[in-house]
Amino acid sequence: MVESDEDYVPGGSDDDVEAHQVTTSGGRADSSIRGRGKAEDAFNAIRRTWEDVEEGEDGTITGTIDSLLQQGKRKRTLKDTTPLQRGIIRHLILIIDLSAAMTEKDLRPTRYLLTIRYCQEFVTEFFEQNPISQIGIIGMRDGLAVRVSDMSGNPSEHISNLQALRKEDPKGQPSLQNALDMARAALFHAPSHGTREILLLFGSLLSSDPGDIHTTITSLVNSHITTTVIGLSAQVAICLTLVKRTNPHSNPQKHYNVALDEVNYRELIMRLATPPESHTQQSTAADDDSNKSSLLMMGFPSRVTDPKPSLCACHSRPTTGGYLCSRCSSKVCSLPTTCPACSLTLILSTHLARSYHHLFPLQNWTTVSWSRATAPSQKHKTLCFSCQIPFPPYPTTATNRRSRDAGDATVNGNTKKVNISRIPTKPALSDARNAESASTEPSAAALLRSTQDDNTAQKRRNEDQTVSESGRYECGTCGQFFCVDCDVFCHEIAHNCPGCLSREAETIGSKGEQQQSVEVAMELDGLDLDGEKG
């Protein structure tokens, strides 16, 4: 082996390395300087969260922590509130990867255990948001598709079957084609007025299929089945093709994502609990009759209790309680469900009411600035209209206001105005390197960096606007002020504004008082309600 002329020195700096480079022209050195400058600009564009921490007058960071907590709460409530046509009667198949790839520990404790836990939470949230929908669960293991839970609307049954998976270990390779074929067969008899969806949790990078998977994808497209894929390893080409072909009216990035961490993984799964938007699809002549009907017949049975056990029509098990079908009087165990005898959809009125808020969502409440909170017409609103908790008081010193802290600096206890653009944000390079990079850098790159800085600043301003500086959030309809906890509760659970509901109640009460006053006046005049003399 040919020996090198010089020994390797492990502690050399970048300047020493550049000094030992022998080049025939300055092109390579110039390109390295430009590349290093772009890398430094990209690093500076990253938001450094430790710079957002601010101390209060008491020397603690409690205010910053509270602000971060409020920002997280507001992020959950800020959703698209545009009234759209959505499929509130959903039929979804959840496909879980049970292969050996799920034993990885990049998601704690493992991909397998975390997926099972998140699936249980998803089933609970799914039926809270979609009480008249149904779910089926399928697993992929050893190149086969395993039926974990049949299609039903009973969340306790799905959760118990998911808990039973904890006793088993993931093994083998997944078969995407077999799982999609089984999901298509389960959704084949789903009615046309409901949605047909597949949610795939895929942790592997390959699929062991017995045939051509593109034929299966074509069958899914012909059956009007939409798919959503959440990857745990990396983006797979066949999954991207599956999403593009089954969701032709949507952006593929909306239906195929790779989980970054545990929090992002849960957000991606819980996002599927909201009913999807309904898109107009071109139907054939055979489907015209089914698509023309806009009304659906449903039954609202009452619960009955028998003195002696009798067989139910859904499971053929002896039970004393149940619900009788409104059409054929067959007994079923739980609601919502479809009558096994006459195929009538059986639900409760509360189920239909809980699905109604997706069609007309509650509008997002706006943040209230200190100038509006301290206005003469709003000064009396010192308590949250819903929970009656006092709002935070108006800050008396300028150091507590973030709007002034951005342009102030404290020197020896005195506050002075400082030009923020002149504050250094990174270690300065040597004068020679700065001059050389400035002379060799094209104007287009400088324009690109300035545009990126503007976009980053705008993004930070948008994030700050999600949290109210006064701790108040205003309903645009009734004009009442609420705290952040009531904001989350009203948008995620109640789906109604207490201020708007109280105003409607006052209107109804005033109409009742007017009617009573009219009746009293008629009695005083010696007239009854029919207008005849008494």
Side-chain angles (χ1 to χ4, degrees):
M1 183 177 67
V2 181
E3 297 181 355
S4 60
D5 296 336
E6 297 180 359
D7 295 335
Y8 172 71
V9 181
S13 61
D14 294 340
D15 296 335
D16 297 336
V17 173
E18 292 179 2
H20 286 80
Q21 289 180 351
V22 180
T23 57
T24 56
S25 62
R28 183 178 302 177
D30 295 342
S31 62
S32 63
I33 293 176
R34 288 196 299 268
R36 183 167 56 251
K38 294 180 180 179
E40 291 173 354
D41 293 338
F43 174 77
N44 292 326
I46 300 175
R47 182 171 183 180
R48 290 169 287 190
T49 56
W50 57 86
E51 294 182 352
D52 297 337
V53 179
E54 300 176 1
E55 292 186 1
E57 289 184 345
D58 55 352
T60 63
I61 59 174
T62 306
T64 302
I65 296 176
D66 295 340
S67 178
L68 294 176
L69 292 176
Q70 289 190 13
Q71 185 174 352
K73 294 178 181 178
R74 284 283 291 173
K75 185 178 179 182
R76 300 202 314 262
T77 59
L78 291 179
K79 302 176 182 179
D80 186 11
T81 58
T82 306
L84 298 173
Q85 183 178 359
R86 297 181 181 272
I88 60 176
I89 302 179
R90 307 173 61 184
H91 301 85
L92 185 139
I93 295 295
L94 177 61
I95 301 178
I96 306 176
D97 191 353
L98 306 179
S99 63
M102 300 297 287
T103 58
E104 296 291 336
K105 296 183 178 180
D106 51 354
L107 299 177
R108 296 294 180 179
T110 61
R111 294 181 183 177
Y112 183 71
L113 296 178
L114 186 66
T115 300
I116 293 177
R117 190 181 76 183
Y118 284 170
C119 287
Q120 295 178 10
E121 298 177 2
F122 171 73
V123 169
T124 304
E125 182 67 19
F126 179 85
F127 284 104
E128 286 290 334
Q129 301 292 333
N130 310 271
I132 56 178
S133 301
Q134 295 184 358
I135 279 184
I137 305 176
I138 296 175
M140 297 182 296
R141 168 190 292 136
D142 288 334
L144 302 174
V146 183
R147 189 180 300 276
V148 178
S149 181
D150 294 330
M151 179 78 70
S152 68
N154 187 5
S156 59
E157 181 180 351
H158 298 302
I159 293 176
S160 61
N161 292 333
L162 287 172
Q163 291 177 349
L165 292 177
R166 293 180 175 270
K167 302 178 182 179
E168 303 178 3
D169 296 329
K171 59 181 178 179
Q173 300 294 338
S175 178
L176 189 58
Q177 183 183 11
N178 290 335
L180 293 177
D181 285 334
M182 182 177 290
R184 176 177 173 270
L187 295 172
F188 182 76
H189 297 286
S192 59
H193 57 261
T195 63
R196 301 178 181 180
E197 309 170 49
I198 294 177
L199 173 58
L200 174 62
L201 306 180
F202 198 62
S204 180
L205 294 176
L206 55 90
S207 177
S208 178
D209 301 324
D212 187 7
I213 191 174
H214 293 279
T215 305
T216 303
I217 296 177
T218 304
S219 302
L220 295 177
V221 174
N222 296 333
S223 301
H224 304 292
I225 298 176
T226 60
T227 58
T228 302
V229 181
I230 299 177
L232 303 182
S233 298
Q235 192 176 82
V236 184
I238 189 61
C239 293
L240 184 60
T241 303
L242 172 66
V243 168
K244 286 183 177 180
R245 295 193 58 187
T246 55
N247 301 277
H249 303 282
S250 303
N251 187 2
Q253 296 180 356
K254 184 179 179 181
H255 298 274
Y256 187 19
N257 296 276
V258 178
L260 303 179
D261 50 21
E262 292 85 351
V263 178
N264 181 248
Y265 186 25
R266 187 180 187 278
E267 291 178 354
L268 293 176
I269 295 179
M270 293 303 172
R271 192 172 62 183
L272 272 298
T274 304
E277 303 173 3
S278 299
H279 298 279
T280 303
Q281 299 179 352
Q282 295 181 356
S283 59
T284 60
D287 297 335
D288 287 341
D289 296 337
S290 60
N291 293 333
K292 285 181 180 178
S293 59
S294 57
L295 299 179
L296 176 64
M297 184 176 294
M298 292 184 178
F300 298 89
S302 301
R303 182 172 179 82
V304 295
T305 303
D306 299 331
K308 296 181 180 179
S310 60
L311 296 179
C312 64
C314 49
H315 303 95
S316 298
R317 291 182 295 195
T319 57
T320 55
Y323 300 87
L324 296 181
C325 177
S326 305
R327 177 185 293 172
C328 63
S329 299
S330 299
K331 188 174 74 171
V332 295
C333 297
S334 60
L335 297 178
T337 187
T338 301
C339 179
C342 62
S343 301
L344 179 65
T345 303
L346 303 177
I347 63 172
L348 295 176
S349 59
T350 55
H351 294 156
L352 196 59
R354 282 159 53 190
S355 302
Y356 184 75
H357 70 269
H358 292 295
L359 303 180
F360 301 95
L362 181 63
Q363 297 296 319
N364 292 327
W365 295 343
T366 58
T367 58
V368 179
S369 61
W370 279 120
S371 59
R372 175 163 175 76
T374 56
S377 60
Q378 307 292 339
K379 269 191 173 182
H380 64 281
K381 299 179 181 179
T382 59
L383 302 177
C384 174
F385 183 81
S386 179
C387 62
Q388 298 296 307
I389 292 180
F391 288 121
Y394 178 74
T396 57
T397 59
T399 55
N400 287 343
R401 300 179 219 170
R402 298 187 60 184
S403 59
R404 295 189 179 182
D405 286 344
D408 295 354
T410 303
V411 180
N412 296 328
N414 298 323
T415 302
K416 298 181 178 180
K417 292 291 181 181
V418 178
N419 188 359
I420 301 178
S421 61
R422 300 183 61 87
I423 298 177
T425 58
K426 59 180 179 180
L429 301 176
S430 61
D431 296 338
R433 184 178 301 175
N434 286 334
E436 186 176 4
S437 62
S439 60
T440 57
E441 185 176 16
S443 59
L447 180 61
L448 178 61
R449 286 202 309 274
S450 62
T451 305
Q452 292 176 351
D453 294 340
D454 295 340
N455 295 336
T456 303
Q458 181 65 28
K459 182 178 180 181
R460 293 182 182 180
R461 286 194 296 269
N462 294 338
E463 290 178 355
D464 293 338
Q465 290 177 359
T466 58
V467 180
S468 176
E469 61 181 0
S470 63
R472 298 163 171 84
Y473 301 91
E474 181 181 5
C475 174
T477 304
C478 62
Q480 298 294 340
F481 291 170
F482 301 90
C483 63
V484 64
D485 294 326
C486 293
D487 185 5
V488 175
F489 178 81
C490 293
H491 282 85
E492 292 189 350
I493 299 177
H495 303 287
N496 285 288
C497 174
C500 298
L501 294 179
S502 62
R503 189 173 62 176
E504 293 177 0
E506 292 176 358
T507 304
I508 297 175
S510 62
K511 290 182 179 180
E513 292 177 358
Q514 293 177 1
Q515 182 67 23
Q516 290 179 0
S517 62
V518 171
E519 293 178 358
V520 171
M522 294 175 66
E523 290 179 358
L524 292 176
D525 293 339
L527 300 175
D528 57 5
L529 294 179
D530 295 333
E532 298 177 356
K533 292 289 183 181

mmCIF file of all heavy atoms in Angstrom, residues 1-5:
data_model
loop_
_atom_site.group_PDB
_atom_site.id
_atom_site.type_symbol
_atom_site.label_atom_id
_atom_site.label_comp_id
_atom_site.label_asym_id
_atom_site.label_seq_id
_atom_site.Cartn_x
_atom_site.Cartn_y
_atom_site.Cartn_z
ATOM 1 N N MET A 1 0.847 -1.191 0.000
ATOM 2 C CA MET A 1 0.000 0.000 0.000
ATOM 3 C C MET A 1 0.878 1.235 0.000
ATOM 4 O O MET A 1 1.877 1.312 0.739
ATOM 5 C CB MET A 1 -0.911 -0.009 1.231
ATOM 6 C CG MET A 1 -1.876 1.162 1.272
ATOM 7 S SD MET A 1 -3.007 1.061 2.701
ATOM 8 C CE MET A 1 -1.797 1.300 4.012
ATOM 9 N N VAL A 2 0.546 2.206 -0.823
ATOM 10 C CA VAL A 2 1.317 3.438 -0.940
ATOM 11 C C VAL A 2 1.072 4.306 0.273
ATOM 12 O O VAL A 2 -0.068 4.563 0.642
ATOM 13 C CB VAL A 2 0.929 4.195 -2.228
ATOM 14 C CG1 VAL A 2 1.761 5.462 -2.336
ATOM 15 C CG2 VAL A 2 1.142 3.296 -3.425
ATOM 16 N N GLU A 3 2.171 4.747 0.924
ATOM 17 C CA GLU A 3 2.034 5.571 2.099
ATOM 18 C C GLU A 3 1.778 7.014 1.696
ATOM 19 O O GLU A 3 2.210 7.486 0.652
ATOM 20 C CB GLU A 3 3.300 5.490 2.950
ATOM 21 C CG GLU A 3 3.563 4.079 3.478
ATOM 22 C CD GLU A 3 4.812 4.046 4.337
ATOM 23 O OE1 GLU A 3 5.471 5.105 4.412
ATOM 24 O OE2 GLU A 3 5.095 2.994 4.909
ATOM 25 N N SER A 4 1.058 7.738 2.551
ATOM 26 C CA SER A 4 0.781 9.139 2.295
ATOM 27 C C SER A 4 1.996 9.981 2.639
ATOM 28 O O SER A 4 2.863 9.577 3.424
ATOM 29 C CB SER A 4 -0.426 9.589 3.117
ATOM 30 O OG SER A 4 -0.163 9.420 4.493
ATOM 31 N N ASP A 5 2.069 11.159 2.048
ATOM 32 C CA ASP A 5 3.218 12.025 2.285
ATOM 33 C C ASP A 5 3.189 12.652 3.662
ATOM 34 O O ASP A 5 4.217 12.879 4.275
ATOM 35 C CB ASP A 5 3.252 13.134 1.225
ATOM 36 C CG ASP A 5 3.464 12.556 -0.172
ATOM 37 O OD1 ASP A 5 4.021 11.457 -0.263
ATOM 38 O OD2 ASP A 5 3.033 13.209 -1.145
#
